[in-house]
Amino acid sequence: MAFISPTLMRTVRGVRLTVQGTGVARSMSTSAYTGWNPETGHRVKRKVHDAHVPFPSFLAQPKVAAVIGAPMTHGQPKEGTDDGPDMIRNAGLHDELKSLGWKVDDLGNLAMPKPTPSDAPWKGPGMARHPVAVGKGCEIVMHSVKKATQENKFVLTLGGDHSIGAGTVAGILQARPETGIVWVDAHADINTPSISESGNMHGMPLALVMGLDKPHQIPGWEWLEGTPVLSPRQLVYIGLRDVDEAERKILRDLGILCFTMYHVDKYGIGGVMERILEHLQHRPLHLSYDIDAVDPLHAPATGTTVRGGLTFREAHYVAEAVGESGLLGSLDMVEVNPSLGSDADTKDTVEMGLALISSAMGSRIV
């Protein structure tokens, strides 16, 4: 049965982290950053400890993380998401992964096509903005992710807007078709062009890989024909709080398991994650993490903020629980947009994204 609830306002309980100065001061062997928060007078420090969490049997040893930059920005209207991959790298990604025992195979940033006047438009029904550029970009992502997955590497994809999720999921399903998808997001991202209220394709990736409304007929998305289709029972949401009415109908009709922020309040984050992992047990897992799932108090530099999101600790527990399952084989971190908000907002958001990656890939408090 699918769980659906309206947007809810909730009291945020975490502790906001503020970083001072022009850069992020880091010491990878002990702390991710250290600084002084003038608002509270408290010293802030985040440590990275390798807790040797269970390692998936389907990944190669010694463990290798293939890092793929997917600087897509045309799935939504705000510039800046294309800077996300390098901002996370420059904040110390490689050093953190190495301190967690990973060998890093950074494949660089993929070249994302730009819209051109000669691109075939979507003629309807409905709207799809920049379908050719986004579709071809996601095809590039799909091939890169597929190759790294087939090499039995852990695949870490840095967005970029969440339209790249169509490429990452499609690539993973070609290598491991039984994979379960944990979609962490304030939004359902299951619009089709015919029902989308905006036409922005970062709100469509799951509909595309689920084959809803013949997506291979959309210009730029012809490559979807013949690719594995994601089954509703392979998908679980966590963190939903801003869902379009037409999307609600899709979620209900398909019986997709959804944990909104209502369910986080009702069951607690531990109870939610227990239910998710029980539903997806025995499957390899892919965690697609949109930073806007986190309350904007902790991750303000993103394009579609919605109040009432995951607290600092709830956000980390999601990543930790999936990582500790011993089944996590791939991860997306998307929608970090350094162009939105102040320098402090950007530092908070980039640091949050990096910290969540570390939590998913093995970092623990003790």
Side-chain angles (χ1 to χ4, degrees):
M1 177 179 178
F3 297 120
I4 306 294
S5 93
T7 301
L8 296 172
M9 197 69 68
R10 56 198 301 273
T11 301
V12 177
R13 300 182 300 277
V15 177
R16 185 174 185 177
L17 301 179
T18 303
V19 185
Q20 301 300 308
T22 58
V24 180
R26 315 184 68 82
S27 175
M28 286 306 123
S29 62
T30 56
S31 64
Y33 67 79
T34 180
W36 191 263
N37 185 334
E39 296 177 0
T40 64
H42 296 158
R43 190 170 181 80
V44 291
K45 181 182 289 187
R46 182 175 66 80
K47 295 187 177 181
V48 179
H49 296 299
D50 184 5
H52 304 289
V53 300
F55 189 73
S57 60
F58 52 84
L59 296 183
Q61 295 264 24
K63 57 185 186 180
V64 178
V67 179
I68 299 171
M72 173 66 73
T73 191
H74 303 298
Q76 48 81 58
K78 299 175 182 178
E79 296 182 355
T81 54
D82 49 334
D83 292 325
D86 285 340
M87 290 291 289
I88 292 174
R89 287 188 180 100
N90 293 339
L93 174 67
H94 286 195
D95 286 340
E96 290 209 7
L97 294 183
K98 290 175 183 177
S99 74
L100 295 172
W102 293 91
K103 178 182 177 182
V104 179
D105 180 15
D106 197 322
L107 304 178
N109 289 340
L110 302 175
M112 295 288 98
K114 297 181 179 179
T116 69
S118 63
D119 289 345
W122 171 243
K123 297 180 180 179
M127 294 185 293
R129 300 182 186 277
H130 309 306
V132 173
V134 178
K136 290 184 175 180
C138 285
E139 183 180 15
I140 293 170
V141 173
M142 178 271 292
H143 284 300
S144 185
V145 169
K146 175 184 176 182
K147 182 176 185 295
T149 305
Q150 289 176 332
E151 292 170 350
N152 297 320
K153 298 175 181 177
F154 185 97
V155 183
L156 171 61
T157 307
L158 307 174
D161 67 57
H162 215 170
S163 65
I164 68 162
T168 59
V169 172
I172 290 161
L173 291 181
Q174 290 191 62
R176 292 195 288 267
E178 72 280 14
T179 297
I181 311 299
V182 181
W183 200 266
V184 189
D185 204 315
H187 311 89
D189 295 347
I190 201 165
N191 276 299
T192 64
S194 63
I195 63 172
S196 173
E197 298 176 5
S198 68
N200 295 326
M201 299 201 77
H202 73 160
M204 303 183 191
L206 287 169
L208 294 165
V209 294
M210 296 179 82
L212 305 184
D213 282 358
K214 301 179 180 179
H216 62 278
Q217 295 181 357
I218 302 172
W221 294 87
E222 296 84 359
W223 58 271
L224 278 174
E225 188 169 18
T227 61
V229 174
L230 179 68
S231 165
R233 64 179 176 272
Q234 290 176 259
L235 172 64
V236 178
Y237 287 99
I238 180 170
L240 293 179
R241 58 191 185 277
D242 185 13
V243 181
D244 295 341
E245 189 60 38
E247 290 181 301
R248 288 163 60 91
K249 185 177 187 304
I250 290 175
L251 296 175
R252 287 176 172 143
D253 289 349
L254 295 181
I256 297 172
L257 186 59
C258 303
F259 291 94
T260 70
M261 291 311 301
Y262 165 80
H263 300 99
V264 174
D265 286 335
K266 180 177 181 178
Y267 301 120
I269 195 63
V272 166
M273 294 312 300
E274 287 175 4
R275 289 166 170 82
I276 287 175
L277 295 174
E278 181 179 1
H279 179 75
L280 295 175
Q281 62 182 324
H282 309 310
R283 295 181 183 273
L285 297 179
H286 171 67
L287 178 61
S288 194
Y289 214 127
D290 188 324
I291 201 70
D292 74 19
V294 183
D295 192 90
L297 177 65
H298 309 294
T302 187
T304 48
T305 56
V306 186
R307 293 176 65 185
L310 298 170
T311 67
F312 183 88
R313 272 303 311 154
E314 288 167 349
H316 276 274
Y317 190 84
V318 170
E320 291 164 352
V322 177
E324 284 188 353
S325 70
L327 296 169
L328 181 63
S330 48
L331 168 65
D332 305 333
M333 180 55 63
V334 302
E335 298 283 358
V336 173
N337 191 332
S339 72
L340 301 176
S342 65
D343 288 346
D345 290 340
T346 295
K347 290 171 185 173
D348 282 351
T349 307
V350 171
E351 174 59 31
M352 189 72 193
L354 177 58
L356 293 173
I357 290 169
S358 294
S359 287
M361 297 180 69
S363 180
R364 294 297 180 271
I365 297 169
V366 294

